[in-house]
PDB file of all heavy atoms in Angstrom:
ATOM      1  N   ASP A  30     -18.686 -13.347  10.609  1.00  0.00           N
ATOM      2  CA  ASP A  30     -19.074 -12.187  11.460  1.00  0.00           C
ATOM      3  C   ASP A  30     -18.356 -12.178  12.775  1.00  0.00           C
ATOM      4  O   ASP A  30     -18.181 -13.259  13.391  1.00  0.00           O
ATOM      5  CB  ASP A  30     -20.578 -12.154  11.663  1.00  0.00           C
ATOM      6  CG  ASP A  30     -21.401 -12.053  10.400  1.00  0.00           C
ATOM      7  OD1 ASP A  30     -20.851 -11.660   9.347  1.00  0.00           O
ATOM      8  OD2 ASP A  30     -22.592 -12.379  10.438  1.00  0.00           O
ATOM      9  N   GLY A  31     -18.061 -11.005  13.265  1.00  0.00           N
ATOM     10  CA  GLY A  31     -17.627 -10.850  14.660  1.00  0.00           C
ATOM     11  C   GLY A  31     -16.328 -11.530  15.017  1.00  0.00           C
ATOM     12  O   GLY A  31     -16.078 -11.857  16.148  1.00  0.00           O
ATOM     13  N   ASN A  32     -15.436 -11.729  14.006  1.00  0.00           N
ATOM     14  CA  ASN A  32     -14.116 -12.298  14.328  1.00  0.00           C
ATOM     15  C   ASN A  32     -13.173 -11.232  14.786  1.00  0.00           C
ATOM     16  O   ASN A  32     -13.294 -10.084  14.435  1.00  0.00           O
ATOM     17  CB  ASN A  32     -13.620 -13.040  13.067  1.00  0.00           C
ATOM     18  CG  ASN A  32     -14.555 -14.184  12.645  1.00  0.00           C
ATOM     19  OD1 ASN A  32     -14.612 -15.217  13.302  1.00  0.00           O
ATOM     20  ND2 ASN A  32     -15.277 -13.954  11.544  1.00  0.00           N
ATOM     21  N   ASN A  33     -12.160 -11.638  15.510  1.00  0.00           N
ATOM     22  CA  ASN A  33     -11.268 -10.646  16.162  1.00  0.00           C
ATOM     23  C   ASN A  33     -10.272 -10.059  15.184  1.00  0.00           C
ATOM     24  O   ASN A  33      -9.692  -9.013  15.491  1.00  0.00           O
ATOM     25  CB  ASN A  33     -10.522 -11.298  17.322  1.00  0.00           C
ATOM     26  CG  ASN A  33      -9.986 -10.264  18.292  1.00  0.00           C
ATOM     27  OD1 ASN A  33     -10.677  -9.389  18.717  1.00  0.00           O
ATOM     28  ND2 ASN A  33      -8.706 -10.373  18.639  1.00  0.00           N
ATOM     29  N   ALA A  34     -10.076 -10.669  14.069  1.00  0.00           N
ATOM     30  CA  ALA A  34      -9.215 -10.083  13.008  1.00  0.00           C
ATOM     31  C   ALA A  34     -10.087  -9.788  11.777  1.00  0.00           C
ATOM     32  O   ALA A  34     -11.053  -9.097  11.858  1.00  0.00           O
ATOM     33  CB  ALA A  34      -8.030 -11.023  12.713  1.00  0.00           C
ATOM     34  N   ASN A  35      -9.773 -10.385  10.638  1.00  0.00           N
ATOM     35  CA  ASN A  35     -10.513 -10.148   9.400  1.00  0.00           C
ATOM     36  C   ASN A  35     -11.593 -11.202   9.176  1.00  0.00           C
ATOM     37  O   ASN A  35     -11.416 -12.378   9.649  1.00  0.00           O
ATOM     38  CB  ASN A  35      -9.588 -10.132   8.202  1.00  0.00           C
ATOM     39  CG  ASN A  35      -8.493  -9.078   8.352  1.00  0.00           C
ATOM     40  OD1 ASN A  35      -8.789  -7.913   8.620  1.00  0.00           O
ATOM     41  ND2 ASN A  35      -7.293  -9.502   8.158  1.00  0.00           N
ATOM     42  N   GLY A  36     -12.646 -10.880   8.480  1.00  0.00           N
ATOM     43  CA  GLY A  36     -13.649 -11.872   8.213  1.00  0.00           C
ATOM     44  C   GLY A  36     -13.115 -13.007   7.296  1.00  0.00           C
ATOM     45  O   GLY A  36     -13.163 -14.165   7.605  1.00  0.00           O
ATOM     46  N   ILE A  37     -12.558 -12.545   6.103  1.00  0.00           N
ATOM     47  CA  ILE A  37     -11.866 -13.448   5.183  1.00  0.00           C
ATOM     48  C   ILE A  37     -10.503 -12.862   4.970  1.00  0.00           C
ATOM     49  O   ILE A  37     -10.398 -11.662   4.598  1.00  0.00           O
ATOM     50  CB  ILE A  37     -12.643 -13.613   3.862  1.00  0.00           C
ATOM     51  CG1 ILE A  37     -14.029 -14.273   4.160  1.00  0.00           C
ATOM     52  CG2 ILE A  37     -11.834 -14.392   2.878  1.00  0.00           C
ATOM     53  CD1 ILE A  37     -14.865 -14.407   2.906  1.00  0.00           C
ATOM     54  N   ASN A  38      -9.462 -13.701   5.112  1.00  0.00           N
ATOM     55  CA  ASN A  38      -8.073 -13.239   4.988  1.00  0.00           C
ATOM     56  C   ASN A  38      -7.375 -14.084   3.928  1.00  0.00           C
ATOM     57  O   ASN A  38      -7.314 -15.311   4.051  1.00  0.00           O
ATOM     58  CB  ASN A  38      -7.360 -13.403   6.314  1.00  0.00           C
ATOM     59  CG  ASN A  38      -6.039 -12.693   6.369  1.00  0.00           C
ATOM     60  OD1 ASN A  38      -5.958 -11.459   6.598  1.00  0.00           O
ATOM     61  ND2 ASN A  38      -4.958 -13.445   6.216  1.00  0.00           N
ATOM     62  N   LEU A  39      -6.787 -13.469   2.904  1.00  0.00           N
ATOM     63  CA  LEU A  39      -6.213 -14.171   1.787  1.00  0.00           C
ATOM     64  C   LEU A  39      -4.785 -13.718   1.566  1.00  0.00           C
ATOM     65  O   LEU A  39      -4.504 -12.473   1.642  1.00  0.00           O
ATOM     66  CB  LEU A  39      -6.968 -13.889   0.497  1.00  0.00           C
ATOM     67  CG  LEU A  39      -8.502 -14.076   0.491  1.00  0.00           C
ATOM     68  CD1 LEU A  39      -9.089 -13.518  -0.794  1.00  0.00           C
ATOM     69  CD2 LEU A  39      -8.831 -15.555   0.596  1.00  0.00           C
ATOM     70  N   PHE A  40      -3.882 -14.595   1.305  1.00  0.00           N
ATOM     71  CA  PHE A  40      -2.512 -14.256   0.977  1.00  0.00           C
ATOM     72  C   PHE A  40      -1.849 -15.372   0.212  1.00  0.00           C
ATOM     73  O   PHE A  40      -2.335 -16.508   0.167  1.00  0.00           O
ATOM     74  CB  PHE A  40      -1.715 -13.922   2.246  1.00  0.00           C
ATOM     75  CG  PHE A  40      -1.491 -15.119   3.173  1.00  0.00           C
ATOM     76  CD1 PHE A  40      -0.339 -15.864   3.130  1.00  0.00           C
ATOM     77  CD2 PHE A  40      -2.461 -15.426   4.103  1.00  0.00           C
ATOM     78  CE1 PHE A  40      -0.174 -16.911   4.051  1.00  0.00           C
ATOM     79  CE2 PHE A  40      -2.297 -16.510   5.010  1.00  0.00           C
ATOM     80  CZ  PHE A  40      -1.121 -17.243   4.940  1.00  0.00           C
ATOM     81  N   GLY A  41      -0.680 -15.093  -0.395  1.00  0.00           N
ATOM     82  CA  GLY A  41       0.112 -16.176  -1.054  1.00  0.00           C
ATOM     83  C   GLY A  41      -0.583 -16.799  -2.228  1.00  0.00           C
ATOM     84  O   GLY A  41      -0.617 -18.032  -2.294  1.00  0.00           O
ATOM     85  N   ASN A  42      -1.147 -15.964  -3.164  1.00  0.00           N
ATOM     86  CA  ASN A  42      -1.754 -16.554  -4.392  1.00  0.00           C
ATOM     87  C   ASN A  42      -2.903 -17.445  -4.143  1.00  0.00           C
ATOM     88  O   ASN A  42      -3.123 -18.471  -4.815  1.00  0.00           O
ATOM     89  CB  ASN A  42      -0.692 -17.305  -5.238  1.00  0.00           C
ATOM     90  CG  ASN A  42       0.398 -16.362  -5.717  1.00  0.00           C
ATOM     91  OD1 ASN A  42       0.163 -15.267  -6.246  1.00  0.00           O
ATOM     92  ND2 ASN A  42       1.620 -16.732  -5.491  1.00  0.00           N
ATOM     93  N   SER A  43      -3.725 -17.117  -3.141  1.00  0.00           N
ATOM     94  CA  SER A  43      -4.929 -17.885  -2.846  1.00  0.00           C
ATOM     95  C   SER A  43      -6.162 -17.218  -3.503  1.00  0.00           C
ATOM     96  O   SER A  43      -6.097 -16.139  -4.041  1.00  0.00           O
ATOM     97  CB  SER A  43      -5.111 -17.964  -1.326  1.00  0.00           C
ATOM     98  OG  SER A  43      -4.060 -18.709  -0.745  1.00  0.00           O
ATOM     99  N   TYR A  44      -7.292 -17.940  -3.423  1.00  0.00           N
ATOM    100  CA  TYR A  44      -8.488 -17.565  -4.124  1.00  0.00           C
ATOM    101  C   TYR A  44      -9.700 -17.886  -3.332  1.00  0.00           C
ATOM    102  O   TYR A  44      -9.873 -19.035  -2.874  1.00  0.00           O
ATOM    103  CB  TYR A  44      -8.522 -18.190  -5.486  1.00  0.00           C
ATOM    104  CG  TYR A  44      -9.723 -17.849  -6.336  1.00  0.00           C
ATOM    105  CD1 TYR A  44      -9.955 -16.585  -6.782  1.00  0.00           C
ATOM    106  CD2 TYR A  44     -10.646 -18.880  -6.682  1.00  0.00           C
ATOM    107  CE1 TYR A  44     -11.088 -16.277  -7.582  1.00  0.00           C
ATOM    108  CE2 TYR A  44     -11.711 -18.599  -7.463  1.00  0.00           C
ATOM    109  CZ  TYR A  44     -11.966 -17.275  -7.914  1.00  0.00           C
ATOM    110  OH  TYR A  44     -13.069 -17.007  -8.674  1.00  0.00           O
ATOM    111  N   ALA A  45     -10.650 -16.939  -3.192  1.00  0.00           N
ATOM    112  CA  ALA A  45     -11.943 -17.182  -2.539  1.00  0.00           C
ATOM    113  C   ALA A  45     -13.010 -16.748  -3.447  1.00  0.00           C
ATOM    114  O   ALA A  45     -12.965 -15.655  -4.080  1.00  0.00           O
ATOM    115  CB  ALA A  45     -12.027 -16.520  -1.214  1.00  0.00           C
ATOM    116  N   GLN A  46     -14.070 -17.548  -3.608  1.00  0.00           N
ATOM    117  CA  GLN A  46     -15.161 -17.209  -4.492  1.00  0.00           C
ATOM    118  C   GLN A  46     -16.489 -17.421  -3.798  1.00  0.00           C
ATOM    119  O   GLN A  46     -16.742 -18.497  -3.168  1.00  0.00           O
ATOM    120  CB  GLN A  46     -15.111 -18.133  -5.763  1.00  0.00           C
ATOM    121  CG  GLN A  46     -16.273 -17.924  -6.735  1.00  0.00           C
ATOM    122  CD  GLN A  46     -16.184 -18.825  -7.913  1.00  0.00           C
ATOM    123  OE1 GLN A  46     -15.180 -18.788  -8.616  1.00  0.00           O
ATOM    124  NE2 GLN A  46     -17.182 -19.651  -8.119  1.00  0.00           N
ATOM    125  N   VAL A  47     -17.395 -16.451  -3.837  1.00  0.00           N
ATOM    126  CA  VAL A  47     -18.629 -16.478  -3.164  1.00  0.00           C
ATOM    127  C   VAL A  47     -19.753 -16.752  -4.226  1.00  0.00           C
ATOM    128  O   VAL A  47     -19.803 -16.066  -5.231  1.00  0.00           O
ATOM    129  CB  VAL A  47     -18.965 -15.141  -2.476  1.00  0.00           C
ATOM    130  CG1 VAL A  47     -20.373 -15.153  -1.892  1.00  0.00           C
ATOM    131  CG2 VAL A  47     -17.913 -14.931  -1.335  1.00  0.00           C
ATOM    132  N   ASN A  48     -20.614 -17.747  -3.962  1.00  0.00           N
ATOM    133  CA  ASN A  48     -21.660 -18.159  -4.883  1.00  0.00           C
ATOM    134  C   ASN A  48     -23.000 -18.109  -4.178  1.00  0.00           C
ATOM    135  O   ASN A  48     -23.177 -18.763  -3.188  1.00  0.00           O
ATOM    136  CB  ASN A  48     -21.387 -19.559  -5.384  1.00  0.00           C
ATOM    137  CG  ASN A  48     -19.980 -19.683  -6.055  1.00  0.00           C
ATOM    138  OD1 ASN A  48     -19.784 -19.368  -7.130  1.00  0.00           O
ATOM    139  ND2 ASN A  48     -19.025 -20.168  -5.202  1.00  0.00           N
ATOM    140  N   SER A  49     -23.924 -17.340  -4.732  1.00  0.00           N
ATOM    141  CA  SER A  49     -25.241 -17.142  -4.120  1.00  0.00           C
ATOM    142  C   SER A  49     -26.380 -17.304  -5.132  1.00  0.00           C
ATOM    143  O   SER A  49     -27.368 -16.622  -5.097  1.00  0.00           O
ATOM    144  CB  SER A  49     -25.308 -15.778  -3.498  1.00  0.00           C
ATOM    145  OG  SER A  49     -24.301 -15.535  -2.557  1.00  0.00           O
ATOM    146  N   TRP A  50     -26.216 -18.281  -6.080  1.00  0.00           N
ATOM    147  CA  TRP A  50     -27.249 -18.449  -7.083  1.00  0.00           C
ATOM    148  C   TRP A  50     -28.572 -18.939  -6.490  1.00  0.00           C
ATOM    149  O   TRP A  50     -29.589 -18.875  -7.137  1.00  0.00           O
ATOM    150  CB  TRP A  50     -26.773 -19.456  -8.149  1.00  0.00           C
ATOM    151  CG  TRP A  50     -26.527 -20.840  -7.638  1.00  0.00           C
ATOM    152  CD1 TRP A  50     -27.502 -21.725  -7.274  1.00  0.00           C
ATOM    153  CD2 TRP A  50     -25.289 -21.488  -7.347  1.00  0.00           C
ATOM    154  NE1 TRP A  50     -26.897 -22.896  -6.832  1.00  0.00           N
ATOM    155  CE2 TRP A  50     -25.552 -22.761  -6.858  1.00  0.00           C
ATOM    156  CE3 TRP A  50     -23.964 -21.046  -7.515  1.00  0.00           C
ATOM    157  CZ2 TRP A  50     -24.560 -23.660  -6.524  1.00  0.00           C
ATOM    158  CZ3 TRP A  50     -22.986 -21.949  -7.139  1.00  0.00           C
ATOM    159  CH2 TRP A  50     -23.256 -23.231  -6.648  1.00  0.00           C
ATOM    160  N   ASN A  51     -28.553 -19.471  -5.240  1.00  0.00           N
ATOM    161  CA  ASN A  51     -29.742 -20.043  -4.643  1.00  0.00           C
ATOM    162  C   ASN A  51     -30.619 -18.992  -3.980  1.00  0.00           C
ATOM    163  O   ASN A  51     -31.588 -19.367  -3.280  1.00  0.00           O
ATOM    164  CB  ASN A  51     -29.344 -21.114  -3.626  1.00  0.00           C
ATOM    165  CG  ASN A  51     -28.349 -20.603  -2.584  1.00  0.00           C
ATOM    166  OD1 ASN A  51     -28.154 -19.405  -2.449  1.00  0.00           O
ATOM    167  ND2 ASN A  51     -27.684 -21.543  -1.913  1.00  0.00           N
ATOM    168  N   GLY A  52     -30.324 -17.727  -4.093  1.00  0.00           N
ATOM    169  CA  GLY A  52     -31.101 -16.666  -3.495  1.00  0.00           C
ATOM    170  C   GLY A  52     -30.740 -16.338  -2.071  1.00  0.00           C
ATOM    171  O   GLY A  52     -31.337 -15.449  -1.456  1.00  0.00           O
ATOM    172  N   GLN A  53     -29.796 -17.095  -1.470  1.00  0.00           N
ATOM    173  CA  GLN A  53     -29.368 -16.832  -0.113  1.00  0.00           C
ATOM    174  C   GLN A  53     -28.190 -15.824  -0.128  1.00  0.00           C
ATOM    175  O   GLN A  53     -27.633 -15.554  -1.176  1.00  0.00           O
ATOM    176  CB  GLN A  53     -28.912 -18.101   0.542  1.00  0.00           C
ATOM    177  CG  GLN A  53     -30.005 -19.193   0.608  1.00  0.00           C
ATOM    178  CD  GLN A  53     -31.154 -18.803   1.488  1.00  0.00           C
ATOM    179  OE1 GLN A  53     -30.986 -18.335   2.604  1.00  0.00           O
ATOM    180  NE2 GLN A  53     -32.390 -19.011   0.993  1.00  0.00           N
ATOM    181  N   ALA A  54     -27.843 -15.300   1.039  1.00  0.00           N
ATOM    182  CA  ALA A  54     -26.810 -14.241   1.126  1.00  0.00           C
ATOM    183  C   ALA A  54     -25.609 -14.690   1.893  1.00  0.00           C
ATOM    184  O   ALA A  54     -25.669 -15.686   2.664  1.00  0.00           O
ATOM    185  CB  ALA A  54     -27.437 -13.033   1.828  1.00  0.00           C
ATOM    186  N   VAL A  55     -24.532 -13.954   1.671  1.00  0.00           N
ATOM    187  CA  VAL A  55     -23.303 -14.174   2.435  1.00  0.00           C
ATOM    188  C   VAL A  55     -23.023 -12.832   3.115  1.00  0.00           C
ATOM    189  O   VAL A  55     -22.949 -11.758   2.523  1.00  0.00           O
ATOM    190  CB  VAL A  55     -22.106 -14.523   1.531  1.00  0.00           C
ATOM    191  CG1 VAL A  55     -20.797 -14.510   2.340  1.00  0.00           C
ATOM    192  CG2 VAL A  55     -22.326 -15.905   0.931  1.00  0.00           C
ATOM    193  N   ASN A  56     -22.844 -12.896   4.488  1.00  0.00           N
ATOM    194  CA  ASN A  56     -22.601 -11.691   5.272  1.00  0.00           C
ATOM    195  C   ASN A  56     -21.207 -11.748   5.878  1.00  0.00           C
ATOM    196  O   ASN A  56     -20.738 -12.775   6.368  1.00  0.00           O
ATOM    197  CB  ASN A  56     -23.623 -11.657   6.457  1.00  0.00           C
ATOM    198  CG  ASN A  56     -25.008 -11.411   5.980  1.00  0.00           C
ATOM    199  OD1 ASN A  56     -25.322 -10.490   5.284  1.00  0.00           O
ATOM    200  ND2 ASN A  56     -25.895 -12.288   6.352  1.00  0.00           N
ATOM    201  N   ILE A  57     -20.529 -10.595   5.741  1.00  0.00           N
ATOM    202  CA  ILE A  57     -19.187 -10.425   6.289  1.00  0.00           C
ATOM    203  C   ILE A  57     -19.223  -9.130   7.107  1.00  0.00           C
ATOM    204  O   ILE A  57     -19.022  -8.052   6.534  1.00  0.00           O
ATOM    205  CB  ILE A  57     -18.120 -10.355   5.173  1.00  0.00           C
ATOM    206  CG1 ILE A  57     -18.272 -11.573   4.217  1.00  0.00           C
ATOM    207  CG2 ILE A  57     -16.735 -10.341   5.756  1.00  0.00           C
ATOM    208  CD1 ILE A  57     -17.357 -11.470   3.001  1.00  0.00           C
ATOM    209  N   SER A  58     -19.441  -9.253   8.409  1.00  0.00           N
ATOM    210  CA  SER A  58     -19.809  -8.033   9.158  1.00  0.00           C
ATOM    211  C   SER A  58     -19.221  -8.104  10.573  1.00  0.00           C
ATOM    212  O   SER A  58     -18.936  -9.171  11.128  1.00  0.00           O
ATOM    213  CB  SER A  58     -21.279  -7.855   9.216  1.00  0.00           C
ATOM    214  OG  SER A  58     -21.906  -8.897   9.934  1.00  0.00           O
ATOM    215  N   ASN A  59     -19.101  -6.903  11.151  1.00  0.00           N
ATOM    216  CA  ASN A  59     -18.723  -6.728  12.569  1.00  0.00           C
ATOM    217  C   ASN A  59     -17.437  -7.384  12.920  1.00  0.00           C
ATOM    218  O   ASN A  59     -17.292  -7.795  14.110  1.00  0.00           O
ATOM    219  CB  ASN A  59     -19.880  -7.219  13.466  1.00  0.00           C
ATOM    220  CG  ASN A  59     -21.125  -6.402  13.283  1.00  0.00           C
ATOM    221  OD1 ASN A  59     -21.134  -5.189  13.536  1.00  0.00           O
ATOM    222  ND2 ASN A  59     -22.142  -7.015  12.740  1.00  0.00           N
ATOM    223  N   ASN A  60     -16.486  -7.506  12.023  1.00  0.00           N
ATOM    224  CA  ASN A  60     -15.203  -8.044  12.332  1.00  0.00           C
ATOM    225  C   ASN A  60     -14.309  -6.871  12.828  1.00  0.00           C
ATOM    226  O   ASN A  60     -14.480  -5.718  12.479  1.00  0.00           O
ATOM    227  CB  ASN A  60     -14.524  -8.671  11.112  1.00  0.00           C
ATOM    228  CG  ASN A  60     -15.373  -9.898  10.645  1.00  0.00           C
ATOM    229  OD1 ASN A  60     -15.319 -10.964  11.288  1.00  0.00           O
ATOM    230  ND2 ASN A  60     -16.096  -9.736   9.537  1.00  0.00           N
ATOM    231  N   HIS A  61     -13.342  -7.252  13.722  1.00  0.00           N
ATOM    232  CA  HIS A  61     -12.498  -6.200  14.338  1.00  0.00           C
ATOM    233  C   HIS A  61     -11.450  -5.698  13.322  1.00  0.00           C
ATOM    234  O   HIS A  61     -10.893  -4.617  13.520  1.00  0.00           O
ATOM    235  CB  HIS A  61     -11.823  -6.734  15.550  1.00  0.00           C
ATOM    236  CG  HIS A  61     -12.769  -6.948  16.687  1.00  0.00           C
ATOM    237  ND1 HIS A  61     -12.366  -7.093  18.012  1.00  0.00           N
ATOM    238  CD2 HIS A  61     -14.144  -7.027  16.738  1.00  0.00           C
ATOM    239  CE1 HIS A  61     -13.440  -7.259  18.799  1.00  0.00           C
ATOM    240  NE2 HIS A  61     -14.492  -7.224  18.014  1.00  0.00           N
ATOM    241  N   GLY A  62     -11.152  -6.459  12.293  1.00  0.00           N
ATOM    242  CA  GLY A  62     -10.293  -5.987  11.202  1.00  0.00           C
ATOM    243  C   GLY A  62     -11.150  -5.582  10.054  1.00  0.00           C
ATOM    244  O   GLY A  62     -12.185  -4.995  10.184  1.00  0.00           O
ATOM    245  N   SER A  63     -10.718  -5.955   8.833  1.00  0.00           N
ATOM    246  CA  SER A  63     -11.459  -5.672   7.626  1.00  0.00           C
ATOM    247  C   SER A  63     -12.404  -6.842   7.329  1.00  0.00           C
ATOM    248  O   SER A  63     -12.209  -7.953   7.780  1.00  0.00           O
ATOM    249  CB  SER A  63     -10.500  -5.465   6.482  1.00  0.00           C
ATOM    250  OG  SER A  63      -9.750  -4.226   6.668  1.00  0.00           O
TER     251      SER A  63
END
C-alpha cells in the first residue's frame, strides 16, 4: 500500500502468487502507480 510507483511490479518472465487459504486478506491499495 501507498508506494510511490506500483504495488507489485513484475517483468522478465517473473511470477507472483497470492495465497489466502487462512482466511486473511492481501491488500494492494493507494499506490501512485498501478
Side-chain angles (χ1 to χ4, degrees):
D30 299 342
N32 299 288
N33 200 49
N35 303 309
I37 296 177
N38 192 81
L39 309 169
F40 65 96
N42 297 311
S43 295
Y44 178 64
Q46 177 180 302
V47 173
N48 305 278
S49 302
W50 65 72
N51 54 15
Q53 302 293 316
V55 172
N56 294 305
I57 307 172
S58 65
N59 296 296
N60 297 286
H61 290 197
S63 294

